């Protein structure tokens, strides 16, 4: 394909009229566990990373000391909420579980969450079909997802370079550091880019409002490193599978240790990290522009009241919400009907949806 050398601005697509919001149900068909599966997996003796690592041992000890797992397992919201209550109020839980231990515990539990989801992440045929239909119709859309996994990111390469991902955050990759391979440099879709072929690239917002397994955060310089096709973490060595050639655990600018950038499920959310604040603001702006909001595999869990509030504040209730969910529980339908006067509910999985006439109709007619 012929490459044009002149630089152009991509189609900005700043106010997409068609916006998709993905929840955990969209990834479930590809084997990503839902939250209720995660604590049982942490306690599973068959996974040596979880049972033999220092992080896994500490988490298991905490669960044994503070929760009963005989008849039921605690939810992640319960565990993180219990930890956050003590941290936010600067209270030790006991002589054993001091503030320092609780801080380390929360960090290790976040790493275990990262490890379990990353170990289940693989290429997604369903998201590949989603993006290819978007490309076929040259549709300008916005995407918001609550999921940490990289299924939706790694399927995007099927439509590059006609479409460019905009995570709506600043990335280390934009600055082309010397100790990052050129293969992992990243195009900034908000600046002039080279056009490939005859079609202008379309900027597409991909707002991962709870963070992502392929984002690595430096809490010294406040930058995020994107590891485009690497999302793993090793609990035994406490390191990432990464593109960094010199040291896979440190920032290429200040050598500070990098950490996962995911917002854990807890009722006591405090957005002290400016990156999450920026993502929420951008998500609200994107929802505000939507004429059609398609919500897939999302049940508005209690820990995500902030997302319901974001939609309620920004979405025009006169506009249309299309819900795709395998559940038709009355309380779930009620939550959606409180957001818009026009709710079109469809009982189906994401796997069925991407092959359905409904999806084709939305793509062709979505306002």
């Amino acid at each position: 394909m012929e490459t044009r050398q002149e630089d152009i601005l991509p189609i900005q697509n700043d106010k997409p009229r068609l916006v998709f919001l993905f929840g955990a149900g969209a990834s479930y068909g590809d084997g990503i566990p839902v939250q209720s599966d995660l604590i049982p997996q942490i306690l599973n003796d068959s996974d040596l990373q979880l049972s033999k690592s220092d992080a896994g041992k500490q988490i298991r000890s905490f669960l044994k000391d503070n929760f009963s797992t005989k008849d039921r397992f605690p939810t992640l919201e319960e565990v993180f909420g219990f930890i956050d209550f003590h941290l936010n109020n600067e209270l030790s839980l006991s002589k054993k579980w001091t503030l320092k231990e609780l801080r380390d515990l929360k960090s290790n539990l976040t790493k275990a969450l990262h490890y379990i989801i990353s170990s289940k992440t693989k290429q997604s045929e369903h998201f590949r079909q989603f993006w290819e239909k978007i490309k076929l119709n040259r549709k300008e859309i916005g995407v918001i997802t609550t999921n940490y996994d990289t299924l939706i990111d790694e399927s995007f390469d099927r439509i590059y370079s006609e479409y460019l991902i905009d995570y709506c955050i600043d990335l280390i990759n934009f600055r082309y550091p010397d100790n990052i391979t050129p293969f992992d440099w990243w195009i900034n879709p908000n600046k002039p880019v080279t056009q490939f072929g005859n079609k202008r690239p379309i900027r597409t917002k991909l707002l991962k409002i709870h963070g992502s397994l392929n984002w690595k955060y430096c809490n010294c310089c406040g930058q995020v490193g994107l590891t485009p096709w690497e999302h793993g973490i090793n609990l035994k060595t406490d390191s990432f599978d990464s593109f960094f050639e010199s040291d896979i655990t440190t920032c290429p600018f200040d050598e500070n240790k990098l950490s996962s950038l995911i917002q854990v499920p807890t009722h006591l959310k405090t957005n002290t990290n400016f990156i999450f604040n920026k993502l929420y603001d951008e998500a609200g702006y994107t929802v505000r522009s939507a004429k059609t909001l398609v919500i897939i595999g999302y049940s508005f869990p209690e820990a995500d009241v902030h997302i319901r509030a974001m939609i309620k504040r920004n979405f025009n209730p006169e506009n249309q919400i299309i819900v795709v969910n395998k559940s038709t529980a009355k309380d779930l339908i009620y939550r959606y009907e409180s957001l818009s006067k026009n709710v079109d509910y469809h009982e189906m999985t994401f796997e069925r949806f991407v092959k359905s006439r409904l999806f084709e109709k939305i793509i062709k007619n979505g306002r």
Side-chain angles (χ1 to χ4, degrees):
M1 184 178 293
E2 181 182 356
T3 300
R4 295 185 181 180
Q5 295 302 316
E6 67 267 23
D7 284 339
I8 64 164
L9 277 173
I11 298 173
Q12 288 303 301
N13 187 24
D14 192 51
K15 296 181 180 180
R17 294 179 175 269
L18 177 59
V19 175
F20 291 85
L21 192 159
F22 290 100
S27 298
Y28 186 73
D30 284 300
I32 304 299
V34 293
Q35 288 189 18
S36 59
D37 296 335
L38 292 170
I39 293 295
Q41 290 194 29
I42 288 174
L43 296 173
N44 188 341
D45 290 331
S46 64
D47 192 310
L48 296 181
Q49 286 249 10
L50 290 166
S51 61
K52 300 298 183 182
S53 65
D54 290 340
K57 290 176 181 177
Q58 186 195 40
I59 296 167
R60 287 163 171 248
S61 177
F62 178 79
L63 293 173
K64 180 181 179 181
D65 288 352
N66 297 285
F67 295 91
S68 173
T69 57
K70 293 180 180 179
D71 300 320
R72 61 177 291 273
F73 293 100
T75 65
L76 274 176
E77 290 93 337
E78 287 180 86
V79 177
F80 275 113
F82 190 59
I83 296 169
D84 281 346
F85 171 81
H86 291 85
L87 292 179
N88 292 344
N89 291 281
E90 296 188 351
L91 295 170
S92 293
L93 176 57
S94 64
K95 181 180 179 180
K96 177 180 179 180
W97 299 107
T98 63
L99 279 171
K100 181 184 182 304
E101 285 294 315
L102 291 174
R103 291 190 188 98
D104 291 343
L105 173 69
K106 183 175 180 179
S107 176
N108 285 334
L109 189 54
T110 302
K111 293 172 186 175
L113 185 62
H114 184 143
Y115 167 75
I116 292 171
I117 295 175
S118 68
S119 67
K120 303 296 183 181
T121 299
K122 59 183 184 301
Q123 289 290 327
S124 171
E125 177 67 17
H126 310 120
F127 277 108
R128 182 191 66 78
Q129 293 175 16
F130 172 81
W131 286 123
E132 287 186 344
K133 286 191 178 179
I134 297 297
K135 174 184 174 182
L136 182 64
N137 291 273
R138 289 289 288 178
K139 198 69 179 179
E140 295 184 6
I141 66 168
V143 176
I144 302 168
T145 177
T146 66
N147 300 329
Y148 311 133
D149 65 68
T150 59
L151 297 176
I152 194 168
D153 315 48
E154 294 181 18
S155 300
F156 193 89
D157 63 355
R158 297 299 186 109
I159 66 173
Y160 174 84
S161 59
E162 292 183 32
Y163 284 75
L164 301 176
I165 286 182
D166 184 2
Y167 288 106
C168 297
I169 57 175
D170 194 20
L171 296 173
I172 290 173
N173 312 62
F174 294 157
R175 294 178 172 82
Y176 306 160
D178 292 338
N179 56 345
I180 292 180
T181 62
F183 182 73
D184 290 304
W185 292 348
W186 201 254
I187 293 175
N188 187 341
N190 291 294
K191 293 185 177 181
V193 299
T194 300
Q195 178 174 326
F196 297 88
N198 298 317
K199 294 182 179 179
R200 293 166 61 86
I202 298 175
R203 168 188 177 233
T204 300
K205 295 180 185 179
L206 176 54
L207 292 158
K208 306 189 79 172
I209 57 177
H210 287 165
S212 182
L213 300 187
N214 59 1
W215 295 355
K216 309 300 183 289
Y217 179 62
C218 175
N219 58 19
C220 181
C221 65
Q223 295 187 89
V224 177
L226 173 69
T227 54
W229 295 276
E230 297 290 348
H231 49 73
I233 187 171
N234 188 315
L235 294 180
K236 289 286 287 184
T237 62
D238 191 18
S239 62
F240 297 112
D241 298 324
S242 173
F243 57 68
F244 295 116
E245 292 181 329
S246 59
D247 186 339
I248 65 174
T249 63
T250 61
C251 174
F253 295 116
D254 52 40
E255 298 185 355
N256 188 55
K257 187 173 182 179
L258 295 170
S259 59
S260 301
L261 186 60
I262 59 178
Q263 190 171 58
V264 297
T266 173
H267 295 286
L268 304 174
K269 284 189 174 65
T270 54
N271 289 342
T272 55
N273 190 308
F274 75 96
I275 292 175
F276 289 122
N277 287 331
K278 177 175 173 54
L279 290 168
Y280 287 134
D281 289 345
E282 191 64 43
Y285 176 78
T286 302
V287 165
R288 191 177 302 125
S289 70
K291 299 296 183 183
T292 302
L293 178 61
V294 185
I295 305 178
I296 302 171
Y298 190 58
S299 58
F300 285 113
E302 291 183 9
D304 283 0
V305 66
H306 58 295
I307 295 180
R308 183 179 176 186
M310 180 268 290
I311 295 174
K312 189 69 176 178
R313 286 197 312 272
N314 293 284
F315 188 69
N316 185 339
E318 301 293 332
N319 290 337
Q320 183 184 34
I321 290 180
I322 298 175
V323 180
V324 175
N325 201 299
K326 66 178 183 179
S327 171
T328 56
K330 289 183 178 180
D331 61 334
L332 180 59
I333 296 174
Y334 170 78
R335 290 172 213 163
Y336 283 106
E337 290 178 340
S338 68
L339 298 174
S340 172
K341 298 177 182 179
N342 305 302
V343 178
D344 187 10
Y345 205 100
H346 297 269
E347 184 182 3
M348 66 173 70
T349 61
F350 177 55
E351 304 92 272
R352 281 184 54 205
F353 172 72
V354 292
K355 301 174 183 177
S356 69
R357 291 183 179 179
L358 172 64
F359 184 35
E360 293 179 359
K361 181 181 177 181
I362 291 171
I363 292 299
K364 292 178 180 177
N365 302 327
R367 293 176 287 176

